[in-house]
């Protein structure tokens, strides 16, 4: 009796953009939720009212003209690596249920990804970076969401201009 190979989860990128319009974690979660997802993990990086001990009034994010393509490339690279590696460690359950990425029909369950970074002027409390990932298991959802946030922050050419309450201004990330 031949056994079928375990199906690796498919990936579905629903959103990977820079946005001049407001973004929200609720919007991201609603986009990735599905009946097949056992876990939905989200991240919302919001504008805080301080940095380096100084009170912040607001921020402005600027992006390099290639930033939209870099965002798409960052997500595509992560998806390619995840797909090539198969299910990451910790994505299964302790009970040894295997990948759990199959339904009764044997189809792989997609890992769904939504990510956006704001550009333009943001006020205290506004979300600047939002990511949501759904997967069959929490381990994979956490791993993909965390890695995606780290890569967007490290690789997408976006610069932050901070406006402090004392009238001073500071650029962050402009030297990278």
């Amino acid at each position: 009796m031949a056994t079928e190979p375990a199906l690796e989860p498919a990936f579905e990128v629903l959103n990977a953009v820079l946005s001049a319009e407001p973004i929200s974690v609720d919007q991201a979660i609603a986009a990735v939720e599905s009946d097949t997802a056992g876990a939905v993990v989200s991240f919302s990086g919001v504008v805080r009212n301080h940095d380096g001990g100084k009170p912040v009034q607001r921020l402005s994010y600027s992006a390099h003209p290639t930033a939209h393509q870099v965002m798409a490339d960052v997500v595509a690279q992560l998806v390619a690596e995840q797909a090539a590696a198969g299910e990451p460690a910790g994505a299964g359950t302790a009970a040894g249920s295997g990948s759990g990425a199959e339904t009764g029909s044997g189809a792989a369950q997609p890992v769904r990804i939504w990510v956006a970074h704001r550009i333009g002027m943001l006020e205290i409390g506004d979300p600047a970076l939002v990511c949501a990932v759904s997967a069959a298991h929490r381990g994979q959802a956490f791993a993909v969401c965390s890695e995606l946030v780290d890569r967007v922050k490290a690789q997408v050419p976006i610069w932050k201009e901070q406006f402090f309450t004392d009238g001073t201004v500071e650029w962050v990330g402009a030297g990278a």
Side-chain angles (χ1 to χ4, degrees):
M1 174 186 237
T3 59
E4 292 184 32
L7 294 174
E8 299 302 334
F11 288 83
E12 186 177 352
V13 178
L14 303 171
N15 194 58
V17 300
L18 302 180
S19 175
E21 299 300 317
I23 56 177
S24 77
V25 73
D26 292 339
Q27 174 186 22
I29 289 169
V32 301
E33 286 181 321
S34 77
D35 292 342
T36 61
V40 175
V41 172
S42 63
F43 171 83
S44 181
V46 299
V47 178
R48 63 181 179 263
N49 68 357
H50 64 92
D51 189 47
K54 293 177 69 173
V56 172
Q57 185 178 43
R58 67 186 184 281
L59 302 178
S60 180
Y61 285 95
S62 300
H64 189 274
T66 63
H68 294 278
Q69 185 59 52
V70 174
M71 173 74 93
D73 293 346
V74 164
V75 176
Q77 181 65 35
L78 178 61
V79 165
E81 290 170 13
Q82 291 284 318
E87 184 175 51
T93 65
S97 64
S99 73
E102 297 178 28
T103 64
S105 67
Q109 299 307 301
V111 174
R112 303 178 82 196
I113 297 169
W114 192 104
V115 61
H117 198 299
R118 281 289 305 276
I119 52 174
M121 194 65 71
L122 281 77
E123 300 297 326
I124 304 304
D126 286 346
L129 172 59
V130 172
C131 180
V133 175
S134 67
H137 297 283
R138 72 181 180 274
Q140 187 171 35
F142 273 113
V144 172
C145 189
S146 179
E147 184 65 19
L148 183 55
V149 168
D150 288 347
R151 289 186 188 196
V152 167
K153 290 186 66 65
Q155 297 176 28
V156 179
I158 298 172
W159 305 284
K160 175 171 62 174
E161 185 178 13
Q162 298 188 111
F163 298 87
F164 296 102
T165 58
D166 66 4
T168 60
V169 176
E170 175 185 66
W171 281 93
V172 178

